[in-house]
Amino acid sequence: MLEHTHLASGNAAESSSAPTFKLRVEHRMGATDPAVYNFQKACVTIGRLSDNDIVLPSTMVSRRHLEIHYADRAFWLVDVKSRNTTKVEGHALNPNERYVLLDGDSFEVGGYRITFLGLVAG
């Protein structure tokens, strides 16, 4: 399993206020090995374009598909008007609908399953 670490770039206030958390990304058909990402930033983007924090190379994934925000001491998943929706625990999110992520929650984007692994002890 690959492991990646990403810290906030250019904004010290953002990185110091956001706790470090983990996401596991796996292709549902097993086309690639699972990867674990560590983030310490207030907003993580996921989509098909290369400027996203996590790039999912699939036509079933929108260019900027979803974001995870840290606000009000919680992590919020937001589908940013994706074309093919985001499913959390089987529930399709509406555009701009916010969903609070808890440890172990999984969501589906295109052919990928992403699991919120929670805070990193530190």
Side-chain angles (χ1 to χ4, degrees):
M1 184 172 335
L2 298 173
E3 187 146 345
H4 310 273
T5 298
H6 301 272
L7 301 176
S9 58
N11 187 343
E14 181 183 359
S15 64
S16 65
S17 64
T20 303
F21 67 98
K22 285 187 175 193
L23 296 172
R24 182 178 60 233
V25 179
E26 51 196 325
H27 195 275
R28 289 192 338 226
M29 301 303 284
T32 58
D33 288 333
V36 173
Y37 294 84
N38 296 316
F39 289 101
Q40 185 184 11
K41 50 193 309 190
C43 181
V44 170
T45 61
I46 300 173
R48 192 175 70 236
L49 290 181
S50 63
D51 66 343
N52 287 289
D53 296 303
I54 296 178
V55 177
L56 302 177
S58 168
T59 57
M60 297 298 293
V61 177
S62 295
R63 289 174 273 187
R64 174 76 40 102
H65 198 101
L66 61 94
E67 297 175 348
I68 297 173
H69 295 271
Y70 180 73
D72 303 322
R73 300 178 64 139
F75 291 95
W76 297 89
L77 176 67
V78 181
D79 183 302
V80 289
K81 299 181 183 176
S82 68
R83 179 173 252 167
N84 290 310
T85 198
T86 302
K87 291 184 180 178
V88 181
E89 304 297 333
H91 167 75
L93 293 181
N94 294 315
N96 295 317
E97 179 181 354
R98 292 173 25 143
Y99 178 90
V100 67
L101 287 170
L102 302 175
D103 288 2
D105 279 350
S106 291
F107 50 98
E108 295 178 16
V109 179
Y112 296 86
R113 170 170 284 134
I114 302 173
T115 304
F116 180 72
L117 299 176
L119 297 176
V120 175

